C-alpha cells in the first residue's frame, strides 16, 4: 500500500510531539460527562418506538428511493416535518440539511456575495469558518463578544447599502458562554445588518420547551437566519436553517451542500419530528437539566473551583487547565475514577487555553456531579 507523502507524515509527527494527536475514542460504561446528548433523547426508548408510528401516521410505509431532495429524495415526511419545525420555532420556513456542518457550509458559502461583508465572532465553530472560507464575500472576525469592536467594523464597512452579515452562536461550543443577543439584535437592526445565529448548543436547553435562546429572549423577528442542529439536544441526525421563504428558495437553488448530496432517509426525518413532539409535550428532561446546571455551578463554588471555570449558564462547563500534558493527565485520572470527561487540547483551542470540557445532562445525578467536582479539586489543588 502506498505510503503518505512525507509532508503529511511530518504533520502527523508534529501532533504526536505536542501530545495533541487526535484518535477515535470508544464507547465506555463510564458516567457520561462528555456527550452532547443534553436531555437524553438519543437514549429515549419512547422516541425510538414512536418514530415508526410517526412514519405510519404520515402514510410513509417504506424507505423509498434515495437521492438528492431535488431528484428522488424529497419524501412527503420532509414537508410535514419542516412545517412542524417552522411552527415550533415561530419561523416562516425551515429547511432540513444532513448535519449542522452541512447547514453552515451551505449557508455561508452561498448567501453572502462578492462585495458583501461577513463579521464573525472569533470563537465561531469550524463549520461557520469553513463556510466563510468558501464564500466570495470579505470576512473579518471580531473579538469574542466585543460589540464595541463589532460596531466599529460595521461603521467601517456598512456603506452604500452593502450587505453586512453578522455571525455568532447563542451558546459557544468550547466555552459554553453566550453573547448578549439582545444587544446584538439591537445593533443589527440599527445598521440594517443580517444577523445569523447558530443555536446548536441552545436547542433543547433554553426556553420553556427548549426552543433555543433566540426565542427565549423574544428576538426571533430580528434574526435573518437561525441554524438549528439536531445532533446535540435532540439526539438525532440533521439540522435546519430557519428563515424567510425567499431564503429557503435561495438555499434550495444555490447551497451546494443541500443540492449535491443524498437527503436523509425517512426514518431519520421521522426521528426529528418525534423529538420535536417530545420537546413540546414532555419538558421534564429540560427541567432536570436546568436543575443540574444550577447544582454544578453551586458545587464549583463549594469546592473552590470556580476561578478555573469559564462563566456559563449552559450545559457546557469548561475548566481552563493550561498545557496539553497536564489537562490530559487530569482527564485520565477522572476517567480512571469512572467519569467520562474529555480534555480539549491545542490546537483545537489556543495554546494556554487547554481545558476540561464537562457536558451536563438531564440523566446525571447531583451525587455524580458532587463526586466529580470533589475529585477534580483533589487533582488540581
Amino acid at each position: 500500500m502506498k505510503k503518505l507523502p512525507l509532508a503529511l507524515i511530518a504533520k502527523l509527527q508534529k501532533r504526536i510531539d505536542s501530545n495533541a494527536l487526535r484518535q477515535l475514542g470508544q464507547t465506555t460504561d463510564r458516567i457520561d460527562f462528555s456527550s452532547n446528548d443534553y436531555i437524553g433523547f438519543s437514549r429515549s426508548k419512547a422516541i425510538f418506538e414512536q418514530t415508526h408510528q410517526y412514519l405510519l401516521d404520515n402514510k410513509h410505509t417504506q424507505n423509498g428511493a434515495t437521492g438528492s431532495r431535488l431528484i428522488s429524495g424529497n419524501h412527503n415526511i420532509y414537508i410535514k416535518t419542516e412545517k412542524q419545525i417552522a411552527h415550533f420555532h415561530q419561523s416562516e420556513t425551515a429547511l432540513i440539511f444532513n448535519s449542522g456542518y452541512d447547514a453552515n457550509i451551505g449557508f455561508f458559502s452561498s448567501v453572502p456575495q462578492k462585495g458583501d461583508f461577513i463579521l464573525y465572532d472569533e470563537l465561531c465553530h469550524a463549520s461557520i469558518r469553513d463556510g466563510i472560507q468558501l464564500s466570495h464575500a470579505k470576512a473579518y472576525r471580531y473579538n469574542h463578544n466585543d460589540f464595541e469592536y463589532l460596531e466599529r467594523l460595521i461603521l467601517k464597512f456598512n456603506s452604500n447599502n452593502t450587505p453586512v452579515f453578522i455571525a455568532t452562536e447563542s451558546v459557544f461550543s468550547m466555552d459554553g458562554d453566550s453573547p448578549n443577543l439582545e444587544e446584538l439584535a439591537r445593533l443589527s437592526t440599527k445598521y440594517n445588518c443580517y444577523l445569523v445565529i447558530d443555536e446548536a448548543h441552545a436547542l433543547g436547553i433554553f426556553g420553556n420547551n427548549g426552543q433555543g435562546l433566540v426565542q427565549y429572549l423574544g428576538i426571533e423577528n430580528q434574526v435573518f437566519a437561525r441554524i438549528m442542529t439536531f445532533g446535540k439536544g435532540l439526539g438525532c441526525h440533521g439540522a435546519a436553517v430557519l428563515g424567510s421563504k425567499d431564503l429557503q428558495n435561495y438555499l434550495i437553488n444555490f447551497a451546494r451542500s443541500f443540492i449535491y448530496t443524498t437527503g436523509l432517509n425517512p426514518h431519520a426525518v421521522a426521528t426529528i419530528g418525534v423529538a420535536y413532539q417530545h420537546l413540546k409535550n414532555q419538558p421534564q428532561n429540560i427541567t432536570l437539566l436546568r436543575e443540574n446546571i444550577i447544582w454544578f455551578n453551586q458545587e464549583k463554588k463549594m469546592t473552590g473551583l470556580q476561578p478555573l471555570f469559564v462563566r456559563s449558564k449552559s450545559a457546557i462547563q469548561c475548566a481552563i487547565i493550561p498545557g496539553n500534558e497536564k489537562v490530559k493527565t487530569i482527564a485520565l485520572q477522572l476517567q480512571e475514577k469512572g467519569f467520562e470527561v474529555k480534555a480539549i487540547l491545542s490546537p483545537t483551542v489556543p495554546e494556554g487555553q487547554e481545558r476540561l470540557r464537562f457536558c451536563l445532562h438531564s440523566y446525571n445525578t447531583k451525587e455524580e456531579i458532587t463526586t466529580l467536582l470533589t475529585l477534580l479539586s483533589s487533582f488540581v489543588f
Side-chain angles (χ1 to χ4, degrees):
M1 185 175 293
K2 195 171 182 66
K3 294 183 178 180
L4 277 176
L6 291 177
L8 304 188
I9 292 175
K11 290 180 72 174
L12 278 174
Q13 188 60 48
K14 186 176 180 181
R15 285 284 174 92
I16 294 170
D17 294 342
S18 62
N19 201 18
L21 183 69
R22 295 187 179 105
Q23 294 177 295
L24 295 177
Q26 294 181 331
T27 57
T28 72
D29 58 0
R30 290 191 284 261
I31 299 168
D32 181 12
F33 280 94
S34 69
S35 80
N36 295 143
D37 186 25
Y38 302 125
I39 52 178
F41 275 17
S42 76
R43 56 177 68 194
S44 169
K45 183 179 180 181
I47 290 176
F48 178 82
E49 292 175 344
Q50 290 170 25
T51 295
H52 180 67
Q53 188 61 47
Y54 187 91
L55 287 165
L56 294 177
D57 290 344
N58 288 281
K59 298 181 173 59
H60 196 103
T61 58
Q62 58 184 5
N63 281 342
T66 62
S68 166
R69 289 184 64 187
L70 294 174
I71 300 175
S72 60
N74 195 41
H75 308 284
N76 289 335
I77 201 162
Y78 261 113
I79 310 305
K80 166 80 173 180
T81 305
E82 285 174 337
K83 287 181 179 178
Q84 177 188 0
I85 294 168
H87 179 74
F88 182 87
H89 288 294
Q90 298 177 2
S91 173
E92 190 174 334
T93 68
L95 183 66
I96 292 176
F97 283 73
N98 286 11
S99 70
Y101 190 92
D102 286 332
N104 276 324
I105 288 285
F107 179 92
F108 287 101
S109 66
S110 67
V111 176
Q113 300 293 292
K114 185 176 182 180
D116 296 349
F117 293 94
I118 306 171
L119 309 179
Y120 65 99
D121 190 290
E122 64 179 343
L123 296 189
C124 276
H125 190 265
S127 59
I128 295 175
R129 291 184 279 113
D130 287 355
I132 289 172
Q133 284 189 328
L134 294 172
S135 171
H136 295 294
K138 294 180 179 179
Y140 298 87
R141 64 184 181 186
Y142 61 89
N143 298 333
H144 182 49
N145 292 339
D146 185 345
F147 295 161
E148 290 184 8
Y149 183 41
L150 172 61
E151 187 168 17
R152 291 198 295 271
L153 289 176
I154 294 172
L155 290 170
K156 181 178 180 180
F157 299 121
N158 189 19
S159 60
N160 300 321
N161 294 318
T162 301
V164 174
F165 295 84
I166 299 173
T168 191
E169 302 177 32
S170 56
V171 176
F172 285 90
S173 60
M174 279 300 147
D175 283 8
D177 64 331
S178 298
N180 184 340
L181 291 181
E182 292 168 303
E183 174 62 17
L184 190 56
R186 186 194 67 79
L187 271 179
S188 299
T189 301
K190 178 180 179 181
Y191 295 107
N192 196 29
C193 298
Y194 296 86
L195 181 56
V196 184
I197 300 178
D198 186 318
E199 292 242 75
H201 295 277
L203 177 61
I205 291 89
F206 293 94
N208 292 333
N209 295 100
Q211 298 97 326
L213 194 53
V214 168
Q215 278 173 268
Y216 176 70
L217 297 173
I219 59 171
E220 59 269 18
N221 292 330
Q222 296 167 267
V223 178
F224 176 65
R226 283 175 278 167
I227 289 83
M228 314 301 300
T229 298
F230 309 140
K232 321 298 183 187
L234 292 194
C236 55
H237 295 288
V241 176
L242 308 179
S244 68
K245 182 63 178 176
D246 285 342
L247 174 61
Q248 183 189 56
N249 285 335
Y250 185 87
L251 291 170
I252 290 170
N253 280 273
F254 295 100
R256 296 172 71 87
S257 63
F258 177 87
I259 299 166
Y260 298 109
T261 192
T262 299
L264 293 172
N265 65 59
H267 189 276
V269 180
T271 304
I272 297 168
V274 172
Y276 267 100
Q277 288 178 350
H278 276 249
L279 279 184
K280 181 179 179 181
N281 300 323
Q282 300 183 33
Q284 60 267 27
N285 284 22
I286 300 171
T287 301
L288 289 171
L289 173 62
R290 289 176 183 159
E291 290 174 357
N292 281 342
I293 293 170
I294 293 170
W295 185 262
F296 192 96
N297 279 306
Q298 290 173 344
E299 290 297 286
K300 284 190 307 191
K301 296 178 182 178
M302 294 293 292
T303 53
L305 289 166
Q306 188 172 11
L308 297 182
F309 278 83
V310 178
R311 186 175 183 273
S312 169
K313 294 183 179 180
S314 76
I316 300 171
Q317 304 282 332
C318 290
I320 306 299
I321 302 175
N324 281 349
E325 186 65 39
K326 183 175 182 180
V327 75
K328 283 182 72 173
T329 298
I330 295 176
L332 181 60
Q333 289 175 310
L334 291 171
Q335 290 164 15
E336 289 173 346
K337 294 294 185 180
F339 293 91
E340 188 63 20
V341 175
K342 298 296 186 184
I344 309 298
L345 311 175
S346 58
T348 300
V349 292
E351 188 172 348
Q353 289 294 305
E354 296 84 3
R355 78 268 316 268
L356 291 175
R357 183 173 182 261
F358 302 88
C359 292
L360 307 180
H361 311 92
S362 59
Y363 48 83
N364 293 135
T365 68
K366 291 180 174 60
E367 291 76 16
E368 289 169 351
I369 292 170
T370 298
T371 301
L372 172 64
L373 291 177
T374 301
L375 285 169
L376 177 63
S377 177
S378 70
F379 295 149
V380 170
F381 299 127

